[in-house]
Amino acid sequence: MSGNAVRQEEAAEVVVAVLPKQDPEEVSTREKEMGSEVSDIELKARAVVIQSDEDYQAAGEFGVQIKKAAGEVVDFFKPMKDAAYQAHKAICDREKAMLAPLKAAEQALKQTMGEYSMEQERKRREAEEAARKAAEEETRRKLEEASALDKEGKTEEAEAALTEAEIMETAGRAVFVPSSVPKAKGVSASADWEITGIDSKAVPLSINGAELRPVDKAAVMRLIRASKGTIQIPGITYRETKKLSFSKK
């Protein structure tokens, strides 16, 4: 950003914040006077004693004066509040405009990183499933071998093959391929889900006490997240995604 642009923005901000047609010294003097006046009014109100109908009427008139004084205070500060509001709004609008591309950039980056993370998870699950199937196939082969050896009368060899089959079956149930998704400093990731399709007519009226029709996406997402992506909802299709967040440090 050039120096001229910076000075122009600073000048614009100053103009917005200036109170319309008000001398700051006059405002400051009047505010001090008003502060003294309202303090006196408070002291007088606390000192009021009512012992007759006339005192009561006088107190009522004093109350009207208090209300009038309160209105004058509100009117006094209104121009300053309006100017402050306009200045704040203008600054917020400029901040919003400057943040917009950063938010878009963050969203795009999160999507790209999330897609990579999900692809790595897909590969991990495939590898895990392949290892499980390989173990199952080896278990089946060993059982067939044990059966053939037993028919040949080779009891010891058959028992050894059967033991190996049991070991492979146990190993198949315990197959686990660790995640290969890389870690990045300042980035945290958690599982999330997104709705990919809705057949409104097929969605039930409610599930687990949650009203779903007319289709309430927020209620549907609460159910999906609460079940950690295991719930089946008629008329709703969804998929797992990655929720990413970046730290400021």
Side-chain angles (χ1 to χ4, degrees):
M1 184 179 292
S2 69
N4 289 335
V6 172
R7 285 192 293 274
Q8 288 174 358
E9 286 196 6
E10 291 176 346
E13 183 174 344
V14 171
V15 171
V16 172
V18 170
L19 297 176
K21 299 180 180 179
Q22 286 186 305
D23 186 327
E25 292 186 3
E26 292 182 1
V27 170
S28 178
T29 300
R30 179 55 186 142
E31 185 173 348
K32 291 178 181 178
E33 293 174 349
M34 189 173 290
S36 178
E37 291 171 3
V38 297
S39 295
D40 288 344
I41 289 174
E42 181 186 8
L43 292 174
K44 291 178 180 178
R46 292 183 182 280
V48 167
V49 176
I50 300 177
Q51 295 180 334
S52 65
D53 291 350
E54 289 76 11
D55 291 341
Y56 185 86
Q57 292 176 3
E61 293 174 359
F62 186 32
V64 172
Q65 294 177 15
I66 293 174
K67 200 68 176 179
K68 181 180 178 182
E72 292 175 354
V73 170
V74 171
D75 291 342
F76 173 77
F77 283 102
K78 187 177 185 305
M80 289 182 275
K81 289 168 62 178
D82 290 345
Y85 169 77
Q86 292 300 326
H88 181 267
K89 183 177 182 300
I91 293 170
C92 288
D93 289 344
R94 288 161 54 196
E95 178 188 44
K96 183 178 179 181
M98 194 169 292
L99 284 174
L102 294 177
K103 290 182 178 179
E106 180 178 348
Q107 185 60 34
L109 189 58
K110 284 181 177 179
Q111 182 176 346
T112 301
M113 293 177 70
E115 289 173 354
Y116 176 80
S117 179
M118 290 304 298
E119 177 63 14
Q120 296 304 106
E121 176 63 13
R122 183 189 67 77
K123 291 179 180 179
R124 185 196 71 79
R125 289 177 178 174
E126 283 186 354
E128 195 171 81
E129 183 61 22
R132 186 177 295 109
K133 287 183 178 180
E136 290 175 354
E137 178 60 26
E138 183 64 14
T139 299
R140 183 191 64 77
R141 192 182 68 79
K142 283 295 180 181
L143 287 172
E144 291 178 351
E145 181 183 336
S147 178
L149 289 169
D150 186 60
K151 289 179 181 179
E152 294 175 5
K154 299 178 180 179
T155 306
E156 291 184 3
E157 291 89 337
E159 289 181 354
L162 187 59
T163 298
E164 290 181 16
E166 291 174 351
I167 292 173
M168 291 305 301
E169 183 180 13
T170 300
R173 289 196 298 266
V175 166
F176 174 73
V177 176
S179 175
S180 60
V181 177
K183 303 291 184 181
K185 186 177 180 180
V187 180
S188 61
S190 60
D192 200 6
W193 295 265
E194 65 179 5
I195 297 172
T196 58
I198 297 177
D199 180 357
S200 299
K201 294 181 180 178
V203 177
L205 291 175
S206 66
I207 291 181
N208 297 339
E211 297 289 337
L212 301 181
R213 293 182 62 186
V215 179
D216 184 341
K217 289 186 178 181
V220 171
M221 287 306 304
R222 284 195 294 272
L223 287 171
I224 293 172
R225 288 176 176 135
S227 73
K228 297 187 182 300
T230 60
I231 193 170
Q232 298 295 318
I233 303 175
I236 299 293
T237 55
Y238 64 91
R239 67 178 181 180
E240 184 176 350
T241 62
K242 284 293 182 181
K243 182 178 181 180
L244 300 174
S245 62
F246 302 118
S247 66
K248 293 182 179 179
K249 296 182 180 180

